[in-house]
Amino acid sequence: MGSTAIHGLKAVTLTHVRYRRGDRLGHFLAWVSLVPVFISLGGFLSHFLYRRELQAMFFALGLLLSQLISELIKSYVQQPRPLHTCAALESCDSHGWPSAHSQYVFFFASYFTLLTFRSGVGLATLSQKLVAAALPWPLAFLTMYSRVYLGYHTVGQVFSGAAIGLFLGAIWYRIVNSYLYRCFPVIEESAIGRYLYIKDSSHIENVLKFEYDNARAAREQKLAKD
Protein backbone atom coordinates (compact mmCIF):
# COMPACT_ATOMS: atom_id res chain seq x y z
CA MET A 1 0.00 0.00 0.00
CA GLY A 2 2.91 2.32 0.82
CA SER A 3 4.46 1.66 -2.60
CA THR A 4 1.15 2.43 -4.31
CA ALA A 5 0.90 5.73 -2.46
CA ILE A 6 4.45 6.70 -3.51
CA HIS A 7 3.80 5.88 -7.17
CA GLY A 8 0.61 7.92 -7.03
CA LEU A 9 2.55 11.09 -6.19
CA LYS A 10 3.47 13.69 -8.78
CA ALA A 11 5.83 16.66 -8.34
CA VAL A 12 5.06 20.25 -9.20
CA THR A 13 7.52 20.83 -12.03
CA LEU A 14 7.47 24.64 -11.98
CA THR A 15 10.64 24.81 -9.87
CA HIS A 16 11.39 21.08 -9.59
CA VAL A 17 14.68 20.80 -11.51
CA ARG A 18 17.13 17.96 -10.86
CA TYR A 19 20.86 17.79 -11.58
CA ARG A 20 23.65 15.36 -10.75
CA ARG A 21 25.10 15.80 -7.27
CA GLY A 22 28.50 17.49 -7.45
CA ASP A 23 27.95 18.77 -11.00
CA ARG A 24 28.62 22.51 -10.76
CA LEU A 25 27.69 23.18 -14.36
CA GLY A 26 24.49 21.21 -13.86
CA HIS A 27 23.74 23.24 -10.73
CA PHE A 28 24.22 26.49 -12.67
CA LEU A 29 22.11 25.28 -15.58
CA ALA A 30 19.37 24.15 -13.20
CA TRP A 31 19.05 27.78 -12.12
CA VAL A 32 19.19 28.92 -15.75
CA SER A 33 16.34 26.51 -16.45
CA LEU A 34 14.19 28.57 -14.08
CA VAL A 35 14.51 31.72 -16.22
CA PRO A 36 10.85 31.49 -17.37
CA VAL A 37 9.75 31.52 -13.71
CA PHE A 38 11.92 34.55 -12.94
CA ILE A 39 10.62 36.40 -16.00
CA SER A 40 6.99 35.65 -15.19
CA LEU A 41 7.01 36.29 -11.46
CA GLY A 42 9.88 38.73 -11.03
CA GLY A 43 9.49 40.54 -14.32
CA PHE A 44 5.89 40.80 -15.42
CA LEU A 45 4.34 40.73 -11.96
CA SER A 46 6.54 43.53 -10.64
CA HIS A 47 6.07 45.43 -13.91
CA PHE A 48 2.31 45.28 -13.51
CA LEU A 49 2.48 46.41 -9.89
CA TYR A 50 4.71 49.41 -10.59
CA ARG A 51 4.25 50.27 -14.29
CA ARG A 52 0.88 48.92 -15.54
CA GLU A 53 1.75 49.28 -19.19
CA LEU A 54 -0.61 47.75 -21.73
CA GLN A 55 2.25 46.73 -24.00
CA ALA A 56 3.74 44.60 -21.22
CA MET A 57 0.33 43.13 -20.34
CA PHE A 58 -0.24 41.98 -23.91
CA PHE A 59 3.36 40.72 -23.99
CA ALA A 60 2.58 38.56 -20.95
CA LEU A 61 -0.73 37.44 -22.46
CA GLY A 62 1.16 36.29 -25.55
CA LEU A 63 3.53 34.22 -23.42
CA LEU A 64 0.56 32.57 -21.68
CA LEU A 65 -1.06 31.77 -25.03
CA SER A 66 2.24 30.37 -26.29
CA GLN A 67 2.50 28.05 -23.29
CA LEU A 68 -1.09 26.92 -23.80
CA ILE A 69 -0.29 26.10 -27.42
CA SER A 70 2.80 24.19 -26.26
CA GLU A 71 0.73 22.06 -23.90
CA LEU A 72 -1.88 21.39 -26.59
CA ILE A 73 0.83 20.29 -29.04
CA LYS A 74 2.42 18.06 -26.39
CA SER A 75 -0.87 16.35 -25.57
CA TYR A 76 -1.51 15.76 -29.29
CA VAL A 77 1.98 14.61 -30.37
CA GLN A 78 2.78 12.75 -27.11
CA GLN A 79 6.47 12.38 -27.86
CA PRO A 80 8.26 11.02 -24.76
CA ARG A 81 11.15 12.67 -22.99
CA PRO A 82 14.63 11.08 -23.26
CA LEU A 83 14.16 7.51 -22.01
CA HIS A 84 17.66 7.24 -20.53
CA THR A 85 17.08 10.12 -18.08
CA CYS A 86 13.34 10.54 -17.54
CA ALA A 87 13.12 7.92 -14.76
CA ALA A 88 15.81 9.62 -12.67
CA LEU A 89 14.21 13.00 -13.32
CA GLU A 90 10.71 11.69 -12.54
CA SER A 91 9.50 13.10 -15.83
CA CYS A 92 8.50 10.00 -17.81
CA ASP A 93 4.81 10.73 -17.30
CA SER A 94 5.04 14.03 -19.24
CA HIS A 95 5.74 14.71 -22.91
CA GLY A 96 8.80 16.36 -24.39
CA TRP A 97 7.92 17.78 -27.82
CA PRO A 98 8.19 20.72 -28.04
CA SER A 99 10.24 22.01 -25.11
CA ALA A 100 8.01 24.52 -23.32
CA HIS A 101 11.04 26.20 -21.72
CA SER A 102 12.68 26.80 -25.10
CA GLN A 103 9.41 27.99 -26.57
CA TYR A 104 8.93 30.44 -23.71
CA VAL A 105 12.38 32.05 -23.78
CA PHE A 106 12.52 32.33 -27.56
CA PHE A 107 9.04 33.85 -27.67
CA PHE A 108 10.25 36.34 -25.06
CA ALA A 109 13.48 37.11 -26.96
CA SER A 110 11.65 37.49 -30.27
CA TYR A 111 8.95 39.82 -28.96
CA PHE A 112 11.36 41.82 -26.79
CA THR A 113 13.74 42.41 -29.69
CA LEU A 114 10.97 43.62 -32.00
CA LEU A 115 9.52 45.81 -29.26
CA THR A 116 12.92 47.32 -28.51
CA PHE A 117 13.40 48.52 -32.08
CA ARG A 118 9.83 49.79 -32.36
CA SER A 119 9.43 51.81 -29.18
CA GLY A 120 12.95 51.68 -27.78
CA VAL A 121 11.60 50.70 -24.33
CA GLY A 122 12.90 54.03 -23.10
CA LEU A 123 16.12 53.97 -25.16
CA ALA A 124 17.04 56.82 -27.46
CA THR A 125 20.06 55.74 -29.55
CA LEU A 126 20.51 52.82 -31.93
CA SER A 127 23.50 51.51 -29.96
CA GLN A 128 21.42 51.40 -26.77
CA LYS A 129 18.66 49.54 -28.60
CA LEU A 130 21.14 47.03 -30.03
CA VAL A 131 22.56 46.30 -26.58
CA ALA A 132 19.08 45.93 -25.04
CA ALA A 133 17.83 43.74 -27.89
CA ALA A 134 20.83 41.42 -27.50
CA LEU A 135 20.31 40.84 -23.76
CA PRO A 136 17.68 38.03 -23.84
CA TRP A 137 19.40 35.90 -26.49
CA PRO A 138 22.30 34.46 -24.43
CA LEU A 139 19.79 33.45 -21.74
CA ALA A 140 17.52 31.94 -24.38
CA PHE A 141 20.30 29.73 -25.79
CA LEU A 142 21.55 28.85 -22.29
CA THR A 143 18.05 27.81 -21.27
CA MET A 144 17.73 25.68 -24.38
CA TYR A 145 21.11 24.05 -23.70
CA SER A 146 20.24 23.48 -20.03
CA ARG A 147 17.17 21.39 -20.93
CA VAL A 148 19.32 19.03 -22.99
CA TYR A 149 22.25 18.95 -20.56
CA LEU A 150 20.01 18.17 -17.60
CA GLY A 151 18.29 15.38 -19.54
CA TYR A 152 14.77 16.80 -19.78
CA HIS A 153 14.72 17.07 -23.58
CA THR A 154 16.40 15.89 -26.75
CA VAL A 155 18.15 18.31 -29.10
CA GLY A 156 15.24 18.08 -31.52
CA GLN A 157 12.72 18.93 -28.82
CA VAL A 158 14.48 22.12 -27.73
CA PHE A 159 15.09 23.32 -31.29
CA SER A 160 11.44 22.69 -32.13
CA GLY A 161 10.38 24.67 -29.06
CA ALA A 162 12.73 27.52 -30.02
CA ALA A 163 11.41 27.63 -33.59
CA ILE A 164 7.78 27.67 -32.45
CA GLY A 165 8.57 30.36 -29.85
CA LEU A 166 10.30 32.57 -32.44
CA PHE A 167 7.39 32.21 -34.84
CA LEU A 168 4.67 32.82 -32.24
CA GLY A 169 6.58 35.77 -30.75
CA ALA A 170 6.84 37.48 -34.13
CA ILE A 171 3.21 36.72 -35.03
CA TRP A 172 1.88 37.93 -31.67
CA TYR A 173 3.97 41.11 -31.91
CA ARG A 174 2.45 41.75 -35.32
CA ILE A 175 -1.09 41.14 -34.02
CA VAL A 176 -0.65 43.39 -30.99
CA ASN A 177 1.10 46.28 -32.71
CA SER A 178 -0.86 46.23 -35.98
CA TYR A 179 -4.37 45.52 -34.69
CA LEU A 180 -4.87 45.21 -30.94
CA TYR A 181 -3.04 48.45 -30.14
CA ARG A 182 -6.10 50.29 -31.50
CA CYS A 183 -7.96 49.08 -28.41
CA PHE A 184 -5.38 50.58 -26.03
CA PRO A 185 -7.10 54.00 -25.71
CA VAL A 186 -10.42 52.26 -25.03
CA ILE A 187 -8.82 50.16 -22.27
CA GLU A 188 -7.10 53.23 -20.80
CA GLU A 189 -10.39 55.15 -20.67
CA SER A 190 -12.45 52.23 -19.32
CA ALA A 191 -13.57 52.10 -15.69
CA ILE A 192 -11.10 49.33 -14.83
CA GLY A 193 -8.32 51.13 -16.74
CA ARG A 194 -8.85 54.35 -14.82
CA TYR A 195 -9.18 52.52 -11.52
CA LEU A 196 -5.94 50.56 -11.95
CA TYR A 197 -4.07 53.41 -13.72
CA ILE A 198 -3.48 51.22 -16.77
CA LYS A 199 -1.66 53.12 -19.52
CA ASP A 200 0.20 52.90 -22.81
CA SER A 201 3.49 54.77 -23.18
CA SER A 202 4.71 53.03 -26.33
CA HIS A 203 3.90 56.12 -28.42
CA ILE A 204 6.40 58.21 -26.40
CA GLU A 205 9.79 58.24 -28.12
CA ASN A 206 11.92 58.25 -24.96
CA VAL A 207 9.88 57.18 -21.95
CA LEU A 208 12.76 57.41 -19.50
CA LYS A 209 13.51 61.02 -20.43
CA PHE A 210 9.79 61.88 -20.46
CA GLU A 211 9.27 60.52 -16.95
CA TYR A 212 12.53 62.01 -15.71
CA ASP A 213 11.60 65.49 -16.96
CA ASN A 214 8.07 65.27 -15.55
CA ALA A 215 9.30 64.00 -12.18
CA ARG A 216 11.74 66.92 -11.91
CA ALA A 217 9.05 69.40 -12.99
CA ALA A 218 6.62 68.02 -10.39
CA ARG A 219 9.28 68.30 -7.68
CA GLU A 220 10.05 71.91 -8.63
CA GLN A 221 6.34 72.77 -8.53
CA LYS A 222 6.03 71.19 -5.10
CA LEU A 223 9.07 73.07 -3.79
CA ALA A 224 7.69 76.31 -5.21
CA LYS A 225 4.40 75.80 -3.37
CA ASP A 226 6.17 74.93 -0.10
Side-chain angles (χ1 to χ4, degrees):
M1 183 173 179
S3 176
T4 303
I6 291 173
H7 288 297
L9 297 176
K10 182 175 173 62
V12 176
T13 57
L14 183 65
T15 58
H16 187 73
V17 183
R18 290 177 177 268
Y19 64 96
R20 289 186 296 272
R21 188 186 299 276
D23 182 358
R24 293 185 178 180
L25 177 59
H27 187 195
F28 168 72
L29 291 175
W31 282 103
V32 170
S33 190
L34 296 176
V35 163
V37 179
F38 299 145
I39 291 174
S40 298
L41 300 181
F44 284 108
L45 183 58
S46 60
H47 191 283
F48 175 77
L49 290 174
Y50 296 104
R51 301 292 304 171
R52 310 194 186 185
E53 289 279 352
L54 280 166
Q55 186 67 243
M57 293 180 193
F58 278 86
F59 191 171
L61 176 61
L63 283 165
L64 290 174
L65 291 174
S66 174
Q67 291 306 101
L68 176 61
I69 291 170
S70 176
E71 292 304 317
L72 290 174
I73 295 174
K74 282 185 176 183
S75 63
Y76 178 76
V77 176
Q78 296 187 0
Q79 185 180 106
R81 293 180 184 273
L83 298 177
H84 62 286
T85 55
C86 72
L89 297 172
E90 299 179 352
S91 62
C92 293
D93 59 343
S94 61
H95 304 120
W97 195 96
S99 165
H101 282 71
S102 291
Q103 186 170 322
Y104 185 104
V105 292
F106 276 87
F107 182 108
F108 180 89
S110 173
Y111 194 104
F112 182 83
T113 298
L114 293 170
L115 182 62
T116 298
F117 284 106
R118 175 183 177 271
S119 65
V121 290
L123 305 175
T125 66
L126 178 61
S127 60
Q128 290 174 338
K129 292 179 181 180
L130 286 170
V131 171
L135 290 177
W137 294 100
L139 271 178
F141 282 103
L142 264 178
T143 302
M144 184 171 69
Y145 176 69
S146 74
R147 302 306 286 174
V148 175
Y149 182 90
L150 296 171
Y152 285 94
H153 290 286
T154 65
V155 172
Q157 289 170 351
V158 296
F159 272 98
S160 298
I164 295 171
L166 282 171
F167 174 74
L168 291 178
I171 290 295
W172 183 246
Y173 174 84
R174 175 73 174 174
I175 291 172
V176 171
N177 292 283
S178 296
Y179 304 103
L180 298 182
Y181 83 96
R182 297 169 186 168
C183 301
F184 285 6
V186 177
I187 298 172
E188 283 181 308
E189 296 302 322
S190 67
I192 189 70
R194 287 174 173 272
Y195 180 76
L196 294 176
Y197 302 116
I198 293 172
K199 65 183 184 297
D200 172 40
S201 301
S202 60
H203 58 283
I204 301 173
E205 184 176 353
N206 190 331
V207 179
L208 291 179
K209 185 177 186 304
F210 176 83
E211 293 184 346
Y212 175 76
D213 290 341
N214 278 276
R216 291 186 64 193
R219 183 182 61 186
E220 289 174 3
Q221 289 178 2
K222 185 177 184 304
L223 291 173
K225 289 179 181 179
D226 294 342

PDB file of all heavy atoms in Angstrom, residues 2 47 51 54 66 100 154:
ATOM      1  N   GLY A   2       1.993   1.196   0.764  1.00  0.00           N
ATOM      2  CA  GLY A   2       2.911   2.323   0.820  1.00  0.00           C
ATOM      3  C   GLY A   2       3.528   2.600  -0.528  1.00  0.00           C
ATOM      4  O   GLY A   2       3.687   3.735  -0.947  1.00  0.00           O
ATOM      5  N   HIS A  47       6.361  44.407 -12.923  1.00  0.00           N
ATOM      6  CA  HIS A  47       6.071  45.429 -13.914  1.00  0.00           C
ATOM      7  C   HIS A  47       4.617  45.869 -13.821  1.00  0.00           C
ATOM      8  O   HIS A  47       4.310  47.062 -13.914  1.00  0.00           O
ATOM      9  CB  HIS A  47       6.362  44.913 -15.320  1.00  0.00           C
ATOM     10  CG  HIS A  47       6.350  45.980 -16.372  1.00  0.00           C
ATOM     11  ND1 HIS A  47       5.189  46.509 -16.884  1.00  0.00           N
ATOM     12  CD2 HIS A  47       7.364  46.630 -16.995  1.00  0.00           C
ATOM     13  CE1 HIS A  47       5.477  47.425 -17.779  1.00  0.00           C
ATOM     14  NE2 HIS A  47       6.797  47.528 -17.866  1.00  0.00           N
ATOM     15  N   ARG A  51       4.280  49.551 -13.017  1.00  0.00           N
ATOM     16  CA  ARG A  51       4.247  50.265 -14.287  1.00  0.00           C
ATOM     17  C   ARG A  51       2.856  50.258 -14.928  1.00  0.00           C
ATOM     18  O   ARG A  51       2.391  51.265 -15.420  1.00  0.00           O
ATOM     19  CB  ARG A  51       5.254  49.645 -15.270  1.00  0.00           C
ATOM     20  CG  ARG A  51       6.688  49.665 -14.782  1.00  0.00           C
ATOM     21  CD  ARG A  51       7.222  51.056 -14.712  1.00  0.00           C
ATOM     22  NE  ARG A  51       7.120  51.739 -16.009  1.00  0.00           N
ATOM     23  CZ  ARG A  51       7.352  53.021 -16.183  1.00  0.00           C
ATOM     24  NH1 ARG A  51       7.679  53.772 -15.159  1.00  0.00           N
ATOM     25  NH2 ARG A  51       7.239  53.570 -17.380  1.00  0.00           N
ATOM     26  N   LEU A  54       0.164  48.671 -20.905  1.00  0.00           N
ATOM     27  CA  LEU A  54      -0.613  47.750 -21.732  1.00  0.00           C
ATOM     28  C   LEU A  54       0.288  46.899 -22.629  1.00  0.00           C
ATOM     29  O   LEU A  54       0.005  45.724 -22.860  1.00  0.00           O
ATOM     30  CB  LEU A  54      -1.606  48.534 -22.586  1.00  0.00           C
ATOM     31  CG  LEU A  54      -2.879  48.972 -21.856  1.00  0.00           C
ATOM     32  CD1 LEU A  54      -3.621  50.026 -22.664  1.00  0.00           C
ATOM     33  CD2 LEU A  54      -3.779  47.774 -21.608  1.00  0.00           C
ATOM     34  N   SER A  66       1.193  31.225 -25.739  1.00  0.00           N
ATOM     35  CA  SER A  66       2.241  30.372 -26.294  1.00  0.00           C
ATOM     36  C   SER A  66       2.401  29.094 -25.474  1.00  0.00           C
ATOM     37  O   SER A  66       2.541  27.996 -26.028  1.00  0.00           O
ATOM     38  CB  SER A  66       3.575  31.134 -26.333  1.00  0.00           C
ATOM     39  OG  SER A  66       4.639  30.294 -26.727  1.00  0.00           O
ATOM     40  N   ALA A 100       8.736  23.318 -23.717  1.00  0.00           N
ATOM     41  CA  ALA A 100       8.005  24.522 -23.316  1.00  0.00           C
ATOM     42  C   ALA A 100       8.958  25.616 -22.838  1.00  0.00           C
ATOM     43  O   ALA A 100       8.705  26.805 -23.049  1.00  0.00           O
ATOM     44  CB  ALA A 100       6.991  24.194 -22.221  1.00  0.00           C
ATOM     45  N   THR A 154      15.437  16.184 -25.690  1.00  0.00           N
ATOM     46  CA  THR A 154      16.398  15.893 -26.749  1.00  0.00           C
ATOM     47  C   THR A 154      16.733  17.193 -27.482  1.00  0.00           C
ATOM     48  O   THR A 154      16.052  18.211 -27.303  1.00  0.00           O
ATOM     49  CB  THR A 154      15.819  14.894 -27.759  1.00  0.00           C
ATOM     50  OG1 THR A 154      14.697  15.504 -28.422  1.00  0.00           O
ATOM     51  CG2 THR A 154      15.357  13.617 -27.075  1.00  0.00           C
TER      52      THR A 154
END
